Amino acid sequence: MDKSKIIQAPKGTFDILPTEQKYWEKVRRVVALVGAQYGFERIDTPIFEGTDLFERSVGQETDIVEKQMYTFKTKGKDSLTLRPEGTASVVRSYIENGLNSWPQPVRLYYVGPMFRYEQPQSERYRQFHQFGFELIGDSHPIYDAWLINIALVALRELGLHKTVVAINSIGDAKCRPVYRKALVAYYKNKVGQLCEDCKRRYKTNPLRLLDCKEHHCSEVAAKAPNLVDHLCEECRNHFKSVLEYLDEQKISYMLNPHLVRGLDYYTKTVFQLYAEESLEILSGNSNSHKNPLELGGGGRYDMLAQQLGGKNTPALGFAMGIERIISLMRKNNIKVSELKKPEVFLVQLGELGRKKSLTLFEKLREGGIDVVESFGRDNIKSQLRAADKIKVRYAVIVGQKEALEEAAIIREMTSGTQETIPFDKIVNELKKRLRQAPPVSS
Ligand code: HAM
């Protein structure tokens, strides 16, 4: 095999093989279940959008827009971008489809792939998947705390009970400029030590300085003034209420005064959820330079609808990284049931048996029996070995003789006992047997 000629999946992407699908199916099932329980309905938006949607929402000065977007020109010269996240599209859809005429708040959830041109590393991909919940049309702080609860419930339903919530408030259009001034003053004689991106952002969008992942920049950011100390009365009260509603739900959290998140559309509450193993890193008790494992994040984005040309509409939401969740489920040995457990293996012998097994397969399928075929094989031993391997309870064997009689042999795999049954009785007979508890194997 000439390895140089083998085409590989693009860097930062991967295949989800059949053996992995049970985890993905479990996540989708839990998201749909939790969504329904909390009154959220599914929305699907296009995988690509006009580039300006993300420039105007996520923000020109963010890592995502500056460095990570898959942007391309169409033949019609439109600039399109593979969506790097889901919130902007959901709000675009809310405005475009007049969802403000629905009973408010509108509650929507989504599941799907997102694309960011990142340096691939552990748990960081270029195509990854999120599920997200958005609640549009209400400003009450109870929803901020409720949504955090929903995120935690979803994780618990997936077997992840130990997670850490970090929370902060980044204020609004009234108080952010005040904080911005304090931040600029703090950085004034430190700009020279920062990375090139931060030097630029110092002038254009200083809040982003708190978000830089460069080691030295984050050390400088750690000593920067706190946002919460500069909140206006409205934002302070809002944040206080969010924390009280969290207490009411017995949700513990870490206040992180430097949490700003990497997207520009947030106002007031922002939060992130981490795997418990990241607690040491988060509380500064670890010497490791590893980043904590962020499972998800979100917050309020009260200005976004207006920024995108809609009415003034308060809103909030969160999104979780599915790859990271599944990787944690596997690490914690969380059991997930197989998608399909075949019950019957169809064995055929000779050409006539093969032909008849086509019709018999359909009969069994229509009868609701999970059946596996091996049409291409001839040898009975190898077929029974294959049946044994996937641990079916019964093999149904159509040999030359049985085929002529329009019948098949039902073989109980553990005991080896066999009985010939006519085709037209076989579904009922198998159903009857499958309903009975399997014999205890010695
Ligand atoms: P985000 O923090 O950019 O927020 O992404 C949410 C989650 O997606 C992250 O916490 C992480 O688990 C996962 N994620 C992000 N990038 C990658 C990557 N390259 N590889 C693997 N996983 C990744 C948002 O996207 C916001 N739209 C969340 C939100 C919804 N805010 C309000 N509503």
mmCIF file of all heavy atoms in Angstrom, residues 197-226:
data_model
loop_
_atom_site.group_PDB
_atom_site.id
_atom_site.type_symbol
_atom_site.label_atom_id
_atom_site.label_comp_id
_atom_site.label_asym_id
_atom_site.label_seq_id
_atom_site.Cartn_x
_atom_site.Cartn_y
_atom_site.Cartn_z
ATOM 1 N N ASP A 197 -1.488 40.305 18.325
ATOM 2 C CA ASP A 197 -2.953 40.417 18.305
ATOM 3 C C ASP A 197 -3.428 41.353 19.411
ATOM 4 O O ASP A 197 -4.287 42.208 19.202
ATOM 5 C CB ASP A 197 -3.607 39.043 18.530
ATOM 6 C CG ASP A 197 -3.667 38.243 17.242
ATOM 7 O OD1 ASP A 197 -3.503 38.857 16.170
ATOM 8 O OD2 ASP A 197 -3.871 37.022 17.324
ATOM 9 N N CYS A 198 -2.868 41.161 20.602
ATOM 10 C CA CYS A 198 -3.306 41.965 21.745
ATOM 11 C C CYS A 198 -2.933 43.438 21.548
ATOM 12 O O CYS A 198 -3.701 44.325 21.938
ATOM 13 C CB CYS A 198 -2.729 41.427 23.045
ATOM 14 S SG CYS A 198 -3.601 39.955 23.605
ATOM 15 N N LYS A 199 -1.765 43.669 20.943
ATOM 16 C CA LYS A 199 -1.359 45.069 20.696
ATOM 17 C C LYS A 199 -2.429 45.762 19.865
ATOM 18 O O LYS A 199 -2.793 46.918 20.102
ATOM 19 C CB LYS A 199 -0.022 45.108 19.963
ATOM 20 C CG LYS A 199 1.138 44.909 20.900
ATOM 21 C CD LYS A 199 2.458 45.021 20.160
ATOM 22 C CE LYS A 199 3.596 44.684 21.107
ATOM 23 N NZ LYS A 199 4.676 43.968 20.491
ATOM 24 N N ARG A 200 -2.908 45.035 18.860
ATOM 25 C CA ARG A 200 -3.931 45.611 17.986
ATOM 26 C C ARG A 200 -5.263 45.753 18.724
ATOM 27 O O ARG A 200 -5.936 46.767 18.656
ATOM 28 C CB ARG A 200 -4.079 44.713 16.757
ATOM 29 C CG ARG A 200 -4.874 45.299 15.628
ATOM 30 C CD ARG A 200 -4.702 44.482 14.364
ATOM 31 N NE ARG A 200 -4.497 43.064 14.617
ATOM 32 C CZ ARG A 200 -5.450 42.208 14.977
ATOM 33 N NH1 ARG A 200 -6.679 42.632 15.120
ATOM 34 N NH2 ARG A 200 -5.175 40.942 15.176
ATOM 35 N N ARG A 201 -5.605 44.718 19.491
ATOM 36 C CA ARG A 201 -6.894 44.730 20.182
ATOM 37 C C ARG A 201 -6.941 45.766 21.305
ATOM 38 O O ARG A 201 -8.015 46.210 21.699
ATOM 39 C CB ARG A 201 -7.203 43.342 20.738
ATOM 40 C CG ARG A 201 -7.579 42.396 19.619
ATOM 41 C CD ARG A 201 -7.695 41.000 20.085
ATOM 42 N NE ARG A 201 -7.977 40.125 18.959
ATOM 43 C CZ ARG A 201 -8.010 38.822 19.030
ATOM 44 N NH1 ARG A 201 -7.775 38.233 20.179
ATOM 45 N NH2 ARG A 201 -8.279 38.102 17.974
ATOM 46 N N TYR A 202 -5.778 46.098 21.812
ATOM 47 C CA TYR A 202 -5.710 47.151 22.832
ATOM 48 C C TYR A 202 -6.386 48.415 22.288
ATOM 49 O O TYR A 202 -7.088 49.126 22.997
ATOM 50 C CB TYR A 202 -4.245 47.418 23.178
ATOM 51 C CG TYR A 202 -4.022 48.630 24.048
ATOM 52 C CD1 TYR A 202 -4.354 48.603 25.395
ATOM 53 C CD2 TYR A 202 -3.480 49.801 23.510
ATOM 54 C CE1 TYR A 202 -4.157 49.723 26.192
ATOM 55 C CE2 TYR A 202 -3.278 50.912 24.300
ATOM 56 C CZ TYR A 202 -3.633 50.872 25.648
ATOM 57 O OH TYR A 202 -3.442 51.990 26.426
ATOM 58 N N LYS A 203 -6.186 48.648 20.979
ATOM 59 C CA LYS A 203 -6.762 49.851 20.372
ATOM 60 C C LYS A 203 -8.203 49.621 19.934
ATOM 61 O O LYS A 203 -9.059 50.484 20.084
ATOM 62 C CB LYS A 203 -5.948 50.256 19.143
ATOM 63 C CG LYS A 203 -4.574 50.761 19.496
ATOM 64 C CD LYS A 203 -3.998 51.574 18.350
ATOM 65 C CE LYS A 203 -2.592 52.030 18.673
ATOM 66 N NZ LYS A 203 -1.569 51.265 17.960
ATOM 67 N N THR A 204 -8.502 48.436 19.361
ATOM 68 C CA THR A 204 -9.810 48.237 18.738
ATOM 69 C C THR A 204 -10.874 47.647 19.667
ATOM 70 O O THR A 204 -12.027 48.049 19.622
ATOM 71 C CB THR A 204 -9.669 47.300 17.513
ATOM 72 O OG1 THR A 204 -8.992 46.124 17.960
ATOM 73 C CG2 THR A 204 -8.905 47.955 16.393
ATOM 74 N N ASN A 205 -10.490 46.695 20.499
ATOM 75 C CA ASN A 205 -11.484 45.995 21.322
ATOM 76 C C ASN A 205 -10.811 45.440 22.582
ATOM 77 O O ASN A 205 -10.577 44.242 22.707
ATOM 78 C CB ASN A 205 -12.098 44.848 20.481
ATOM 79 C CG ASN A 205 -13.314 44.241 21.147
ATOM 80 O OD1 ASN A 205 -13.648 44.567 22.282
ATOM 81 N ND2 ASN A 205 -13.981 43.345 20.435
ATOM 82 N N PRO A 206 -10.493 46.346 23.537
ATOM 83 C CA PRO A 206 -9.663 45.947 24.685
ATOM 84 C C PRO A 206 -10.238 44.797 25.519
ATOM 85 O O PRO A 206 -9.479 44.061 26.148
ATOM 86 C CB PRO A 206 -9.560 47.221 25.536
ATOM 87 C CG PRO A 206 -10.322 48.272 24.847
ATOM 88 C CD PRO A 206 -10.823 47.782 23.544
ATOM 89 N N LEU A 207 -11.561 44.612 25.525
ATOM 90 C CA LEU A 207 -12.135 43.513 26.320
ATOM 91 C C LEU A 207 -11.559 42.155 25.895
ATOM 92 O O LEU A 207 -11.425 41.238 26.695
ATOM 93 C CB LEU A 207 -13.664 43.516 26.140
ATOM 94 C CG LEU A 207 -14.457 42.955 27.316
ATOM 95 C CD1 LEU A 207 -14.302 43.831 28.546
ATOM 96 C CD2 LEU A 207 -15.929 42.839 26.946
ATOM 97 N N ARG A 208 -11.223 42.067 24.603
ATOM 98 C CA ARG A 208 -10.685 40.821 24.068
ATOM 99 C C ARG A 208 -9.309 40.479 24.650
ATOM 100 O O ARG A 208 -8.857 39.349 24.547
ATOM 101 C CB ARG A 208 -10.563 40.879 22.543
ATOM 102 C CG ARG A 208 -11.848 40.885 21.783
ATOM 103 C CD ARG A 208 -12.258 39.473 21.359
ATOM 104 N NE ARG A 208 -12.760 38.682 22.475
ATOM 105 C CZ ARG A 208 -13.999 38.714 22.941
ATOM 106 N NH1 ARG A 208 -14.891 39.468 22.373
ATOM 107 N NH2 ARG A 208 -14.354 37.989 23.970
ATOM 108 N N LEU A 209 -8.644 41.498 25.274
ATOM 109 C CA LEU A 209 -7.330 41.244 25.874
ATOM 110 C C LEU A 209 -7.454 40.188 26.973
ATOM 111 O O LEU A 209 -6.531 39.425 27.229
ATOM 112 C CB LEU A 209 -6.755 42.536 26.474
ATOM 113 C CG LEU A 209 -6.455 43.669 25.482
ATOM 114 C CD1 LEU A 209 -6.126 44.960 26.218
ATOM 115 C CD2 LEU A 209 -5.285 43.272 24.593
ATOM 116 N N LEU A 210 -8.615 40.137 27.615
ATOM 117 C CA LEU A 210 -8.823 39.193 28.719
ATOM 118 C C LEU A 210 -8.967 37.760 28.214
ATOM 119 O O LEU A 210 -8.927 36.813 28.975
ATOM 120 C CB LEU A 210 -10.080 39.572 29.518
ATOM 121 C CG LEU A 210 -10.064 40.948 30.172
ATOM 122 C CD1 LEU A 210 -11.391 41.237 30.846
ATOM 123 C CD2 LEU A 210 -8.931 41.024 31.196
ATOM 124 N N ASP A 211 -9.164 37.635 26.920
ATOM 125 C CA ASP A 211 -9.524 36.364 26.324
ATOM 126 C C ASP A 211 -8.338 35.681 25.637
ATOM 127 O O ASP A 211 -8.451 34.574 25.139
ATOM 128 C CB ASP A 211 -10.608 36.717 25.276
ATOM 129 C CG ASP A 211 -11.314 35.499 24.751
ATOM 130 O OD1 ASP A 211 -11.586 34.622 25.569
ATOM 131 O OD2 ASP A 211 -11.575 35.455 23.546
ATOM 132 N N CYS A 212 -7.171 36.371 25.626
ATOM 133 C CA CYS A 212 -6.030 35.860 24.864
ATOM 134 C C CYS A 212 -5.484 34.585 25.513
ATOM 135 O O CYS A 212 -5.370 34.482 26.726
ATOM 136 C CB CYS A 212 -4.929 36.910 24.767
ATOM 137 S SG CYS A 212 -3.561 36.345 23.746
ATOM 138 N N LYS A 213 -5.157 33.599 24.650
ATOM 139 C CA LYS A 213 -4.680 32.304 25.176
ATOM 140 C C LYS A 213 -3.156 32.265 25.311
ATOM 141 O O LYS A 213 -2.607 31.316 25.848
ATOM 142 C CB LYS A 213 -5.137 31.162 24.246
ATOM 143 C CG LYS A 213 -6.640 31.082 24.021
ATOM 144 C CD LYS A 213 -7.371 30.447 25.203
ATOM 145 C CE LYS A 213 -8.864 30.322 25.003
ATOM 146 N NZ LYS A 213 -9.623 31.572 24.929
ATOM 147 N N GLU A 214 -2.448 33.311 24.798
ATOM 148 C CA GLU A 214 -0.980 33.347 24.933
ATOM 149 C C GLU A 214 -0.619 33.374 26.417
ATOM 150 O O GLU A 214 -1.240 34.128 27.190
ATOM 151 C CB GLU A 214 -0.423 34.627 24.285
ATOM 152 C CG GLU A 214 -0.543 34.674 22.784
ATOM 153 C CD GLU A 214 0.510 33.822 22.096
ATOM 154 O OE1 GLU A 214 1.615 33.685 22.658
ATOM 155 O OE2 GLU A 214 0.202 33.285 21.010
ATOM 156 N N HIS A 215 0.402 32.572 26.775
ATOM 157 C CA HIS A 215 0.703 32.412 28.200
ATOM 158 C C HIS A 215 0.972 33.757 28.885
ATOM 159 O O HIS A 215 0.353 34.089 29.896
ATOM 160 C CB HIS A 215 1.879 31.457 28.359
ATOM 161 C CG HIS A 215 2.198 31.189 29.791
ATOM 162 N ND1 HIS A 215 1.267 30.632 30.647
ATOM 163 C CD2 HIS A 215 3.315 31.424 30.525
ATOM 164 C CE1 HIS A 215 1.808 30.533 31.847
ATOM 165 N NE2 HIS A 215 3.041 31.003 31.796
ATOM 166 N N HIS A 216 1.889 34.559 28.297
ATOM 167 C CA HIS A 216 2.243 35.811 28.966
ATOM 168 C C HIS A 216 1.044 36.764 29.010
ATOM 169 O O HIS A 216 0.780 37.406 30.034
ATOM 170 C CB HIS A 216 3.434 36.485 28.267
ATOM 171 C CG HIS A 216 3.819 37.761 28.956
ATOM 172 N ND1 HIS A 216 4.367 37.774 30.234
ATOM 173 C CD2 HIS A 216 3.671 39.060 28.588
ATOM 174 C CE1 HIS A 216 4.564 39.031 30.609
ATOM 175 N NE2 HIS A 216 4.151 39.832 29.629
ATOM 176 N N CYS A 217 0.300 36.841 27.896
ATOM 177 C CA CYS A 217 -0.867 37.741 27.860
ATOM 178 C C CYS A 217 -1.879 37.352 28.936
ATOM 179 O O CYS A 217 -2.464 38.214 29.590
ATOM 180 C CB CYS A 217 -1.541 37.711 26.492
ATOM 181 S SG CYS A 217 -0.484 38.311 25.178
ATOM 182 N N SER A 218 -2.069 36.039 29.137
ATOM 183 C CA SER A 218 -3.072 35.661 30.137
ATOM 184 C C SER A 218 -2.572 35.948 31.555
ATOM 185 O O SER A 218 -3.358 36.231 32.451
ATOM 186 C CB SER A 218 -3.543 34.216 29.969
ATOM 187 O OG SER A 218 -2.470 33.349 29.969
ATOM 188 N N GLU A 219 -1.232 35.930 31.725
ATOM 189 C CA GLU A 219 -0.698 36.320 33.049
ATOM 190 C C GLU A 219 -0.974 37.787 33.331
ATOM 191 O O GLU A 219 -1.364 38.164 34.437
ATOM 192 C CB GLU A 219 0.814 36.073 33.081
ATOM 193 C CG GLU A 219 1.160 34.648 33.449
ATOM 194 C CD GLU A 219 2.667 34.424 33.538
ATOM 195 O OE1 GLU A 219 3.452 35.317 33.058
ATOM 196 O OE2 GLU A 219 3.064 33.388 34.057
ATOM 197 N N VAL A 220 -0.801 38.613 32.306
ATOM 198 C CA VAL A 220 -1.072 40.051 32.480
ATOM 199 C C VAL A 220 -2.576 40.247 32.708
ATOM 200 O O VAL A 220 -3.000 41.021 33.585
ATOM 201 C CB VAL A 220 -0.599 40.860 31.238
ATOM 202 C CG1 VAL A 220 -0.912 42.348 31.391
ATOM 203 C CG2 VAL A 220 0.893 40.661 31.004
ATOM 204 N N ALA A 221 -3.384 39.516 31.957
ATOM 205 C CA ALA A 221 -4.844 39.656 32.067
ATOM 206 C C ALA A 221 -5.341 39.285 33.462
ATOM 207 O O ALA A 221 -6.299 39.878 33.972
ATOM 208 C CB ALA A 221 -5.532 38.790 31.016
ATOM 209 N N ALA A 222 -4.649 38.309 34.087
ATOM 210 C CA ALA A 222 -5.105 37.829 35.400
ATOM 211 C C ALA A 222 -5.126 38.948 36.447
ATOM 212 O O ALA A 222 -5.887 38.898 37.408
ATOM 213 C CB ALA A 222 -4.214 36.685 35.863
ATOM 214 N N LYS A 223 -4.268 39.969 36.241
ATOM 215 C CA LYS A 223 -4.199 41.043 37.255
ATOM 216 C C LYS A 223 -5.009 42.276 36.838
ATOM 217 O O LYS A 223 -4.991 43.308 37.518
ATOM 218 C CB LYS A 223 -2.741 41.439 37.484
ATOM 219 C CG LYS A 223 -1.911 40.285 38.035
ATOM 220 C CD LYS A 223 -0.589 40.781 38.637
ATOM 221 C CE LYS A 223 0.252 39.622 39.095
ATOM 222 N NZ LYS A 223 1.274 39.212 38.131
ATOM 223 N N ALA A 224 -5.720 42.171 35.747
ATOM 224 C CA ALA A 224 -6.493 43.317 35.244
ATOM 225 C C ALA A 224 -7.670 43.621 36.170
ATOM 226 O O ALA A 224 -8.082 42.759 36.949
ATOM 227 C CB ALA A 224 -7.012 42.996 33.837
ATOM 228 N N PRO A 225 -8.207 44.849 36.122
ATOM 229 C CA PRO A 225 -9.365 45.161 36.969
ATOM 230 C C PRO A 225 -10.539 44.236 36.675
ATOM 231 O O PRO A 225 -10.664 43.715 35.557
ATOM 232 C CB PRO A 225 -9.719 46.609 36.596
ATOM 233 C CG PRO A 225 -8.762 47.040 35.567
ATOM 234 C CD PRO A 225 -7.804 45.954 35.268
ATOM 235 N N ASN A 226 -11.374 44.048 37.686
ATOM 236 C CA ASN A 226 -12.524 43.156 37.539
ATOM 237 C C ASN A 226 -13.726 43.859 36.931
ATOM 238 O O ASN A 226 -14.060 44.969 37.320
ATOM 239 C CB ASN A 226 -12.952 42.607 38.898
ATOM 240 C CG ASN A 226 -12.006 41.546 39.379
ATOM 241 O OD1 ASN A 226 -11.213 41.037 38.592
ATOM 242 N ND2 ASN A 226 -12.084 41.218 40.649
#
